[in-house]
Amino acid sequence: MTQTQTQTWQLLAQHRAQTADVSLLSRFDAPDRFQAFSAETDGLLLDYSKTALDTTALSLLERITAEAGLADRISQMFRGDKINTTEDRAVLHTALRAQTDEPIKVDGDDVLPAIRQTLQQMESFAEALRDGSIRSGTGAKFTDVINIGIGGSDLGPAMATLALAPYHDGPRCHFVSNLDGAHIADTLKGLDPQTTLVIIASKTFTTIETMTNARTALGWLRATLGDGASAHLAAVSTARDKTSAFGIAPERVFGFADWVGGRYSLWGPVGLPIMIAIGAENFRQFLSGAAAMDRHFRTAPFRENLPVMLAMTGVWHHNICGYDSRAILPYDQRLARFPAYLQQLDMESNGKSVALDGSPLPHDSGPIVWGEPGTNGQHAFYQLLHQGTRVVPAEFLIAAEAHEGDLTDHHQLLVSNCLAQSEALMLGRARKEARAIAAKRGFTGDALEQMAGHLSFTGNRPSVTLAYPKLTPFVLGQLIALYEHRVFVEGVVWGLNSFDQWGVELGKELAVSLLPLVDGSAQAEAYEAKDGSTRGLLSKLTHPHP
């Protein structure tokens, strides 16, 4: 029996049906609504008061987490049990940022000494690169770094490096991920190979997109530097035989264990570009923020626990209210890549239709996750958020203070817009008010009624807001770890494995088999074996007509 088939779940669904007509605004008739439906830790505030959750719903959700064995699952993850059952692996990205001397064991071995040795290796390399102790093959100081990776080896460091731009005092960092040659061509175009370091991030050193881009970058380096190109290479990989064959010195290869999943890997060697950009001390602050969230997650009671409450809000909206997506709306331009990062974290983790025991899930799992920074989104898709036929719960992120102290008017307007959007989603505009606005604009009769329809909207659309003091390395660490744990908690409630991604394998396999059909090296029988659509598309794409 899954959680959604329990009596508690049925009681929660019944409670929602009985209270669905209670407006969000009327829930604030209780004077302590905000205090009772928000939680805070280390300056990070989660406000979920603009949702339909009430004390009864929270009590039932708390019971659901208990019945799902959440407390035990949290303990299992942090102590290194192999909770990634389909791959027989522990899940210990949290160990990469652990601020403890207590052993964390996998198969009986304490993993912390190796983690700290690798962190020291990263720091020595990053600081030497930053201060010019490590120089290019021509003796020049490195001015630029290109990180070549994809998925977790790109989204995490690219997102975090952008987010922490005010702390950049090292070489400029660039990120290449897409197999489309335009991505690496456009990146290389403005750089000097004599002062550029290339980091190739691929655990197996076989990822086709990454290695294709890596070979192109190597050719670019060799065209200017010849055999000296090797001095411009580093790798994040465990395949040391392959990195050596590529010409990368052993001391410039940074490995990590298989108990760190790709989308959880920016805390270790995959985060090397972040460290190069912001320095070792700021990177340690980044780790400290995540570690602080880990401690909070492990110790805080249910209703004070930010990851648990964010997860329960998500379960409530997705499974109980039937909302099939969530919008991530950071009112912080430097978090522009945060929605894309969370897309992978959430949808690759919980985009599953299979339960832990291999049986089909009898309920919905992960929602569709999308978003863009405010205020840009207000001029793009907020129309749908406010008046669309589907309700999309919104998750706003906003800082109390910006880094640009001389542009306070910008930040004041930004905060005003963020708060206004969440308020407008809740309030809507009643028909009576819309009619008055239409009349003021000169409409009368039938035209007035028609215009009133266009100017009114239901409101009663839920949102949560995450407010933080300032986007520092510590705060960014908090935010990422918060969402990591949120995804884990939701996966526990849904009864699935959040740490594998078998669904992406088939497309990779088919791409390999299709390449001979694209480059013309396949036999005719292979072409004929494909379906009519694929054959037609191959003809169009491999024999283009003007």
Side-chain angles (χ1 to χ4, degrees):
M1 178 184 293
T2 66
Q3 288 305 306
T4 58
Q5 296 169 317
T6 64
Q7 181 183 22
T8 307
W9 193 276
Q10 299 310 314
L11 289 172
L12 184 62
Q14 291 169 15
H15 178 68
R16 166 61 180 170
Q18 293 164 0
T19 59
D21 291 336
V22 179
S23 72
L24 297 180
L25 182 60
S26 69
R27 294 179 184 277
F28 284 90
D29 291 343
D32 62 346
R33 171 80 184 172
F34 173 76
Q35 288 75 17
F37 292 85
S38 62
E40 185 171 1
T41 181
D42 290 316
L44 178 61
L45 171 72
L46 169 65
D47 170 24
Y48 56 97
S49 60
K50 292 192 185 78
T51 71
L53 287 167
D54 57 19
T55 54
T56 299
L58 287 182
S59 296
L60 291 169
L61 285 164
E62 185 172 15
R63 193 190 308 174
I64 284 170
T65 62
E67 292 171 352
L70 177 62
D72 287 342
R73 293 294 300 280
I74 292 172
S75 297
Q76 290 166 9
M77 179 174 71
F78 277 93
R79 71 172 176 241
D81 290 6
K82 295 183 178 181
I83 63 171
N84 179 353
T85 52
T86 65
E87 297 178 296
D88 193 32
R89 293 175 180 172
V91 176
L92 276 177
H93 50 278
T94 54
L96 297 177
R97 66 229 189 185
Q99 315 276 298
T100 178
D101 292 325
E102 294 182 15
I104 300 174
K105 294 186 177 182
V106 176
D107 294 326
D109 296 325
D110 184 7
V111 301
L112 284 179
I115 288 172
R116 288 176 180 162
Q117 182 180 0
T118 301
L119 181 60
Q120 183 59 56
Q121 180 194 6
M122 290 169 59
E123 291 181 346
S124 297
F125 180 74
E127 290 303 320
L129 196 73
R130 285 159 52 82
D131 67 22
S133 300
I134 291 178
R135 290 185 173 262
S136 75
T138 63
K141 187 175 180 179
F142 284 107
T143 59
D144 294 271
V145 173
I146 303 172
N147 185 83
I148 298 178
I150 198 165
S153 298
D154 169 76
L155 278 167
M159 176 275 295
T161 302
L162 172 61
L164 299 177
Y167 300 88
H168 289 196
D169 56 3
R172 295 182 294 267
C173 290
H174 314 267
F175 296 87
V176 172
S177 57
N178 203 320
L179 185 58
D180 186 342
H183 199 180
I184 191 157
D186 289 349
T187 302
L188 297 178
K189 192 178 298 181
L191 301 179
D192 181 356
Q194 298 183 82
T195 57
T196 300
L197 178 83
V198 175
I199 300 172
I200 304 160
S202 171
K203 183 182 286 188
T204 63
F205 227 62
T206 59
T207 309
I208 189 167
E209 297 94 339
T210 299
M211 298 315 301
T212 301
N213 282 322
R215 285 189 290 271
T216 299
L218 181 60
W220 175 74
L221 290 171
R222 283 179 172 167
T224 299
L225 303 167
D227 292 340
S230 293
H232 293 244
L233 298 174
V236 176
S237 179
T238 56
R240 289 185 173 268
D241 56 335
K242 293 183 175 64
T243 59
S244 177
F246 204 82
I248 304 174
E251 65 273 16
R252 293 192 179 186
V253 179
F254 305 84
F256 58 100
D258 63 7
W259 35 259
V260 179
R263 56 192 174 277
Y264 299 91
S265 62
L266 80 170
W267 312 106
V270 166
L272 183 60
I274 310 170
M275 186 185 285
I276 290 170
I278 67 174
E281 180 55 39
N282 280 322
F283 191 82
R284 284 187 176 269
Q285 285 296 309
F286 175 59
L287 298 181
S288 294
M293 183 56 68
D294 292 343
R295 289 191 296 272
H296 170 76
F297 179 48
R298 297 180 74 177
T299 60
F302 178 90
R303 298 194 191 186
E304 300 170 21
N305 195 307
L306 269 68
V308 174
M309 290 315 308
L310 189 59
M312 291 304 96
T313 302
V315 169
W316 168 258
H317 285 153
H318 188 48
N319 297 98
I320 303 301
C321 300
Y323 307 143
D324 55 11
S325 78
R326 61 174 64 129
I328 309 297
L329 309 171
Y331 275 67
D332 197 317
Q333 179 59 27
R334 294 191 177 103
L335 286 177
R337 296 292 290 161
F338 198 56
Y341 175 77
L342 293 185
Q343 274 185 338
Q344 186 199 23
L345 177 65
D346 204 317
M347 296 172 73
E348 191 167 77
S349 296
N350 289 340
K352 312 286 174 62
S353 58
V354 182
L356 283 169
D357 63 4
S359 63
L361 279 181
H363 53 262
D364 285 338
S365 58
I368 300 163
V369 178
W370 59 284
E372 282 287 332
T375 56
N376 290 21
Q378 293 176 199
H379 296 265
F381 54 80
Y382 277 40
Q383 169 62 38
L384 183 145
L385 297 184
H386 287 289
Q387 281 189 313
T389 56
R390 294 178 182 270
V391 174
V392 179
E395 300 185 5
F396 295 95
L397 294 92
I398 183 72
E401 181 185 355
H403 285 277
E404 295 68 39
D406 58 338
L407 298 174
T408 55
D409 56 329
H410 284 252
H411 194 67
Q412 289 168 353
L413 281 167
L414 189 72
V415 172
S416 298
N417 273 272
C418 180
L419 300 184
Q421 291 300 322
S422 67
E423 187 179 25
L425 286 168
M426 176 179 68
L427 294 178
R429 180 183 284 146
R431 182 83 178 202
K432 180 179 178 181
E433 182 185 356
R435 190 180 291 111
I437 293 172
K440 191 173 181 179
R441 294 180 180 179
F443 291 93
T444 60
D446 291 343
L448 185 148
E449 292 302 320
Q450 290 175 6
M451 196 62 198
H454 291 290
L455 293 173
S456 62
F457 44 102
T458 61
N460 211 38
R461 300 188 175 215
S463 67
V464 301
T465 299
L466 282 162
Y468 45 92
K470 191 176 186 178
L471 190 58
T472 63
F474 184 90
V475 166
L476 182 64
Q478 283 181 296
L479 288 171
I480 298 170
L482 166 64
Y483 274 94
E484 286 178 347
H485 296 321
R486 184 256 192 99
V487 166
F488 170 61
V489 173
E490 290 181 339
V492 170
V493 170
W494 291 325
L496 51 80
N497 181 1
S498 297
F499 303 104
D500 60 13
Q501 56 279 332
W502 298 108
V504 304
E505 297 298 319
L506 179 58
K508 292 180 181 179
E509 295 167 8
L510 291 176
V512 172
S513 69
L514 274 164
L515 183 57
L517 298 175
V518 175
D519 66 21
S521 63
Q523 299 296 315
E525 307 87 76
Y527 179 85
E528 293 302 325
K530 290 297 180 182
D531 62 89
S533 171
T534 302
R535 290 199 306 271
L537 290 169
L538 281 166
S539 177
K540 183 68 175 177
L541 294 170
T542 59
H543 302 92
H545 302 288

